Amino acid sequence: MSGSYGASGPAACHFAHYFVICGIDTESGLESDELAGENFEQSPLKRTFKSKVLAHYPENVEWNPFDQDAVNMLCMPKGLSFRTQADQRLPQFHSFIITKEDGSRTYGFVHTFYEEVTSPQICSAMQTLYQMHNAEHATPQPTSSSSSSSSMDSLASSLDEADPSSSSASFSSPAVGGYDLSRDTLYVTKALCLITPMPFMHACRQFLSQLHRAVTVVPAPPLPLESYVYNILYEVPLPAPGRTLKFHGVFEPIVCQRPGLGELQLADFPLSEAFSLLGVENLVQVFTCTLLEMQILLFSQDYQRLMTVAEGITTLLFPFQWQHVYVPILPASLFHFLDAPVPYLMGLQSKEDTDCSKLELPQEANLCFVDIDNRYIELPEDFPQFPNKTEFIQELSEVLLSFGISSNMGAPPRTHRSPVSNPCTLSRERKAMALQQLEDDGRNGNLAGEELAVLELLQGNTTLERLQALTKRTGVTVACVDALRARVKSQLTDKPGAQTVAEDEELRNAKLNVQLREVFASRFITMFADYEAFVIQSAPDLETWLTNREQMHNFDKASFLSDQPEPYLPFLSHFIETQMFATFIDNKIMSQWEEKEPLLRVFDARIDKAHLYNVRAPSLRSSSYQRCSVLKESALAIEQRLMKVDHTAIHPHLLDMKIGQGKYEQGFFPKLQADVLNTGTANNNALVCRWFQRTATTQRKQDQHRQQTAHLSLDNNLKERYMQEARSLGKNLRQPKLSDLSPAVIAQTNWKFVEGLLKECRMKTKRMLVEKMGHEAVELGHGEANITGLEENTLIASLCDLLERIWSHGLQVKQGKSALWSHLLLYQAREEKAEQQSHAESPTPHVAERRKSDCCLSMPGLCVTLIQDMRHIQSMSEIKTDVGRARAWIRLSLEKKLLSQHLKRLLSQQALTKNLYKRYAFLRCEEEKEQFLFHLLSLNAVDYFCFTSVFTTIMIPYRVVIIPIKKLSNAMTTSNPWVCVSGELGDSGIMQIPKNVLEMTFDCQNLGKLTTVQLGHDNAGLLAKWLVDCVMVRNEITGHTYRFPCGRWLGKGVDDGSLERVLIGELVVPCGEEDPRRGCYTPPLQRSPSQIRRISITSMSGRGSKPNSAQIQEAVGEAVSNIIKHFHKPEKERGSLTVLLCGENSLVAALEQFFHHGFKSARLFQKTMFIWDFVEKAGASMESADQMGDFQGPLGMTCQSLCHYINAINSTSRSIGKDGKFQLLVCLGTRDYLLPKWLPLLVECPVVQQMYEDTALLRDSSTVSALIRNLETLRDFPITLESSLVKGIDL
């Protein structure tokens, strides 16, 4: 359960706190209930009128003050309902919850019935209303709600509209549901209510039904009604944990049981009904939405259905608790709470003919809508599925089938009626048996000799006449009480196991409830079996922890997720961000200083028990489904407890009332005698409390002994866990205040929502910023990763949800499912209209293609506006809904570092904002709005690729600009150039560049983060040599610009003779003064080898700083280490391996340095020597030696493989140059794990002595051995090469 029960003091021991009567106040007359959605178009009998609390007993309970407005509102959420004799008037039952400020709950159980109106004033007023109504509607028209019906109107139906037969009956009456004072009898609803500290729904339902039956049957019960009410208020205790209690109603005994301290908490609402109403799969989906703290709106004609589904779902959350607004029955006067920009679980009562698709709800972007009556649910977008959902549903279906309930069963009849029997069908034998039980209970002996002596003394007293009437009515005489006691005892002995049908049904429901709950609990025990290992307990004491709570990380989320099976991650990554999970972890941390919260204590005990019998370590990451193993024992515990009554409460008895008191007219439930019901005797309170405390203490000791016995093998530290008692955190839940609905209170409530939204925004942006910056520090080698791509995506999705809730708060009129996108569309329409009218701004001119003669080649400016980004999103056919478009726009703005600026621009149209939002809306609170935009601005400090990485199939326009080195007068080429752009998601294919053009655009499916550019030409014409400085490529939607440095020649007979090069990209940081995104930026993650490094390696004159041997060895080790780290990341977060193989500080770059060390420089007037020249000569030498038989066995095979690879690279049709060929050899050797085998052959080759100095690293055996060991560590990883690297190679 998501609330805590209980209070201290006498009432904590009592079964019920209040008995309440609600109905019509004849003195104040008929008052229209405008808050309940009054519709004057309806006939008066269809309208709702104000009800009042006619009486409540006792007057007040100190520890549970009586909230009259709230109780009245929830007892009769639709107000009073009138009927005539032509309508059906069957009683109905529903329940409700009142949540206090400290999170504790009290439960209300309501029996509603129709009672004849005897007041002439009320009947005359109804007659007058009908005359006025008929005069206004001279032409008879069927009653219906207006066409502009909204969800608030849907609250205006009266109580009988939850029953189709009732409505049909009213229309079939002669007056078409009318009322004629001279002809018709008028009836009005009255409600009897019990308010209890715990949800004993079945017991309360039986008691209220019997109490109502007492005023309708003949003969009347032997005692006045006050006796039965007094008994349940003061003499019936709460069952102790793990015990069963029997008490007596008016006609029949009632039995209820309470789970023990080590069991799942009490849940008396029938889960079988919730599953039957929704179906298993639908209920699991709604349950998942609840776990993820979405907004959940239940919709039904029947109040009890709303309550059953809401309580059923929250019951199944164990060990977690719902932390947000919880109103299973939302009174019409609280309809404005649907505007709450927070997670909620609310129930809305519908009209019989309401079309749920026409409901106008403030926001639906994150709403789970549940139409209970039609078994229809509407889920939010981007909804993660519950782990092992299929197997989970299968197990639940099997449990239901074992009780004869089909998982595909349709919804049962809509109206839930109290079990009212026909008085004529009650046999005299059953009445006599019930009254015998009332006289005495053989196992309890409440009416022993002392009480009988008192009864005998009453003979001859003034009350004798009354007693004689009672005994005559029941066929029992005081003189033969002993004989009756003996007869009852003999009957009990003869039939010890006798049970009524109702008791059998209650036992069946209780067993099914506990088995279904155990299946759900088993899933959480499986998923969170090792959660304790990831709890971070860093504070030395409770005070320090509470002081620094917001700054502390209490749970290692990244490590926890990395430890989970892959299929669980989409759900778990969202769930561990919820408030209910955070509260669960907080409770766990506080348990080291205080007693454990009850749910946590039970959950931890079950996990410890699971660890004892099932060591889970080897299969930790397994996603195989584990079925619940405690179904039989849980059902057996319930059955044994219900079959054995541990205590029978004191019987109802005569009270100290005056003669004449307690009389009532048959068919009318009277006001009771307040003087005898407002206070219980001190003896009763003491007796109840002593019994409750004694049995509770006994049960606690037995539970502790049982737990100690069952866990003798546990460590001493674990034993302490089972000695701790229940505790309550007293969490403040955000609940609507029902008792005061003044404008000031509503305004204060909305102000709290505004403050809450701002705080949530601050916390989310701070979390996103800190986690992202921590991750990027890892890229720089400054720590350990604490955020994964999945977690980052979850945080961004959470931000999207927050923005939707902010834009939904205080809406005047809902425009679409996404309040944010609706606002954006209205802004776009206004801007475009203003642009057309003023013609102040002409369309952006087409940027002509740049020619080689342009004086300054660079990437042209990009048009960046809110409208332009909206158009990008609107052109994406892959997104079908407004909610999806809003989320895509948020992701795009965040990736472009423009989210805060765009939203500021959107809100700058204050006239539009005022038209759309009420005064109290978040977006109209200027100071909070400014802080909100500032928090969003802080996200510009880090780089996100949340749009590029999510929308992977969209078409994106790219712009390419080639920048030659003009200072050397080699910007021109007569050849035919081409380019191919590659990214993490694919490549563009080879595209020809038009002659004399250095800029081009192309459309291509999203390439993701760009990694490489292949640039080349066909060497045609007289000026075929081309010196390129770099290539610039820009994503025209996100604005991300990549620079691919080259700094080398492309042409035959120059440099290394390459006609094409593979360039590695670096993300360009915008640095213009007017760039709105300027601020703090992360360093480039990838880039091509710099021109400086190339010169230092190949320098003929020795100019430049050459690395020494230690630096070279360190570079090799770092390059190998980076590749290993790459494969230890989750697959979706690894990025490009090409960067680590061929980019700056890559493996190829490090090996180039290694092979260049000690390389003999070319002499004057001789050609430049490259590493590939050495490799070719070594290969030729090894080929001739192999032909002469110098290499045998494995060494010969290694020699052949090296020669084969060298020949394949040389014979390729690609003109990649000598450095390109060496790069390719290193990449292929690394991929095929041959590089460590080739090195010894190259070292032993005679060519080494000719081409390397004696001090070269290649001639140092220890250094070479270390290099080989380094490279062998890559054998464990599957290295895949981009197609741009290996294209044209035939091995």
Side-chain angles (χ1 to χ4, degrees), residues 245-258:
L245 169 73
K246 176 181 175 183
F247 66 94
H248 290 280
V250 182
F251 299 104
E252 298 169 357
I254 299 169
V255 177
C256 57
Q257 61 87 27
R258 182 177 174 184

Side-chain angles (χ1 to χ4, degrees), residues 1186-1219:
D1186 187 42
Q1187 290 172 3
M1188 297 177 66
D1190 292 348
F1191 296 108
Q1192 301 293 330
L1195 196 60
M1197 294 180 63
T1198 303
C1199 175
Q1200 291 172 13
S1201 71
L1202 176 58
C1203 296
H1204 175 62
Y1205 275 67
I1206 293 171
N1207 293 332
I1209 291 171
N1210 275 328
S1211 61
T1212 180
S1213 58
R1214 296 171 60 190
S1215 300
I1216 56 178
K1218 293 182 178 180
D1219 281 343

Side-chain angles (χ1 to χ4, degrees), residues 681-853:
T681 64
N683 288 338
N684 282 338
N685 285 336
L687 180 65
V688 169
C689 286
R690 278 201 304 272
W691 175 84
F692 182 86
Q693 291 165 0
R694 182 173 67 251
T695 53
T697 303
T698 304
Q699 172 65 14
R700 191 179 302 118
K701 288 180 179 178
Q702 291 178 356
D703 286 343
Q704 290 175 357
H705 176 72
R706 185 163 54 250
Q707 289 167 347
Q708 290 169 355
T709 305
H711 296 83
L712 287 177
S713 59
L714 290 177
D715 296 334
N716 290 332
N717 292 337
L718 290 177
K719 289 182 180 179
E720 294 180 8
R721 203 176 289 174
Y722 294 93
M723 302 299 292
Q724 295 178 340
E725 298 284 318
R727 60 174 289 278
S728 175
L729 288 176
K731 291 284 181 186
N732 286 329
L733 303 188
R734 285 170 277 185
Q735 289 292 130
K737 189 172 181 61
L738 305 182
S739 57
D740 187 354
L741 296 175
S742 64
V745 170
I746 294 175
Q748 183 182 7
T749 303
N750 281 296
W751 178 247
K752 288 182 179 179
F753 283 144
V754 169
E755 289 181 324
L757 287 171
L758 183 61
K759 180 179 179 182
E760 188 177 354
C761 178
R762 176 171 57 84
M763 296 300 292
K764 284 189 188 299
T765 52
K766 178 182 176 182
R767 170 86 192 283
M768 291 172 67
L769 194 62
V770 171
E771 299 282 22
K772 184 71 174 175
M773 292 180 75
H775 182 59
E776 290 170 349
V778 175
E779 302 287 344
L780 301 173
H782 296 312
E784 297 183 1
N786 56 359
I787 186 171
T788 64
L790 184 66
E791 191 176 1
E792 176 183 310
N793 194 48
T794 302
L795 292 174
I796 293 171
S798 178
L799 177 67
C800 294
D801 167 50
L802 173 63
L803 293 181
E804 281 289 1
R805 286 190 280 118
I806 287 175
W807 255 258
S808 300
H809 183 238
L811 265 178
Q812 296 273 17
V813 179
K814 179 192 164 193
Q815 301 288 334
K817 287 200 171 184
S818 169
L820 174 57
W821 189 251
S822 300
H823 194 170
L824 286 167
L825 289 176
L826 291 171
Y827 172 85
Q828 182 184 27
R830 287 197 175 200
E831 288 289 296
E832 290 177 346
K833 183 178 180 180
E835 183 179 337
Q836 292 172 1
Q837 289 176 348
S838 64
H839 296 282
E841 296 179 9
S842 59
T844 305
H846 174 70
V847 179
E849 293 178 328
R850 305 289 182 98
R851 297 181 176 271
K852 286 184 268 189
S853 58

Side-chain angles (χ1 to χ4, degrees), residues 164-266:
S165 57
S166 170
S167 295
S168 60
S170 65
F171 279 100
S172 63
S173 66
V176 196
Y179 172 69
D180 186 334
L181 179 59
S182 62
R183 182 192 66 218
D184 296 321
T185 304
L186 190 63
Y187 295 86
V188 68
T189 47
K190 180 176 278 190
L192 307 180
C193 172
L194 272 181
I195 295 178
T196 66
M198 298 187 73
F200 290 106
M201 192 268 291
H202 286 99
C204 293
R205 186 171 189 169
Q206 291 179 55
F207 178 82
L208 292 173
S209 174
Q210 292 184 39
L211 196 63
H212 174 227
R213 195 195 316 166
V215 300
T216 61
V217 299
V218 179
L223 299 174
L225 298 178
E226 285 83 353
S227 295
Y228 305 106
V229 174
Y230 182 92
N231 179 250
I232 201 166
L233 287 177
Y234 300 110
E235 297 173 335
V236 177
L238 277 176
R243 294 290 184 264
T244 303
L245 169 73
K246 176 181 175 183
F247 66 94
H248 290 280
V250 182
F251 299 104
E252 298 169 357
I254 299 169
V255 177
C256 57
Q257 61 87 27
R258 182 177 174 184
L261 296 177
E263 301 177 61
L264 299 177
Q265 276 194 309
L266 175 66

Side-chain angles (χ1 to χ4, degrees), residues 1106-1127:
K1106 291 186 178 180
N1108 58 38
S1109 59
Q1111 290 173 331
I1112 292 173
Q1113 292 179 68
E1114 184 181 350
V1116 172
E1118 187 68 24
V1120 172
S1121 176
N1122 286 337
I1123 295 174
I1124 294 172
K1125 289 179 181 177
H1126 168 88
F1127 285 103

Side-chain angles (χ1 to χ4, degrees), residues 57-78:
Y57 315 100
E59 191 66 32
N60 196 52
V61 176
E62 182 181 350
W63 40 87
N64 183 17
F66 187 74
D67 190 337
Q68 181 161 308
D69 293 332
V71 171
N72 179 47
M73 196 179 295
L74 293 169
C75 278
M76 308 188 97
K78 306 295 293 180

